[in-house]
Amino acid sequence: MEMTSFFDAVQNHPELEGIGIDTCQEGKSSVIVKYTKNDLMTKLPVEAIEESDWGILQDVLTGQREPQVLQHMTRVVGYFSRVENWNKSKVGELKDRQKGNYAVVE
């Protein structure tokens, strides 16, 4: 969903109120929205908004659907590991890796 459409939908919803935008140290932004019916405050990363449609976002914001927090996993040398426990250098190496576009050619 485009951010302008998201902000319009929140503004036009009778029970939602946009509170603000939060930027963390890594430079990633999140939008904070309040559900006025029960004062539920939800912080949505911009990436999650852009990857979802309004129906799902509205259900999360109004408490009708549990938000999902996904852990980043990576496969290195044949096994999977969580990157949350990695130090800054190891995370930097992960970000620097090239993704290949591999295919079997006849």
Side-chain angles (χ1 to χ4, degrees), residues 36-49:
T36 58
K37 191 172 183 178
N38 64 2
D39 291 334
L40 173 70
M41 302 269 262
T42 306
K43 184 176 179 181
L44 294 170
V46 170
E47 298 86 23
I49 296 170

Side-chain angles (χ1 to χ4, degrees), residues 47-86:
E47 298 86 23
I49 296 170
E50 292 173 341
E51 294 172 0
S52 301
D53 63 21
W54 174 244
I56 293 170
L57 295 170
Q58 178 178 290
D59 288 349
V60 169
L61 292 170
T62 57
Q64 297 175 10
R65 180 183 185 143
E66 285 293 317
Q68 281 187 318
V69 178
L70 300 176
Q71 295 179 352
H72 184 106
M73 301 283 284
T74 186
R75 183 175 184 271
V76 180
V77 197
Y79 65 92
F80 291 93
S81 67
R82 292 186 175 157
V83 299
E84 288 86 7
N85 298 330
W86 288 8

Side-chain angles (χ1 to χ4, degrees), residues 1-67:
M1 168 173 222
E2 291 184 13
M3 292 304 296
T4 54
S5 300
F6 173 77
F7 288 125
D8 289 343
V10 169
Q11 186 175 9
N12 293 329
H13 194 284
E15 297 173 331
L16 294 177
E17 177 184 344
I19 299 299
I21 297 175
D22 180 41
T23 303
C24 68
Q25 292 177 348
E26 293 85 27
K28 296 183 179 180
S29 297
S30 297
V31 177
I32 302 169
V33 178
K34 179 180 179 181
Y35 181 45
T36 58
K37 191 172 183 178
N38 64 2
D39 291 334
L40 173 70
M41 302 269 262
T42 306
K43 184 176 179 181
L44 294 170
V46 170
E47 298 86 23
I49 296 170
E50 292 173 341
E51 294 172 0
S52 301
D53 63 21
W54 174 244
I56 293 170
L57 295 170
Q58 178 178 290
D59 288 349
V60 169
L61 292 170
T62 57
Q64 297 175 10
R65 180 183 185 143
E66 285 293 317

Side-chain angles (χ1 to χ4, degrees), residues 98-102:
Q98 298 285 329
K99 290 186 179 181
N101 187 9
Y102 304 103

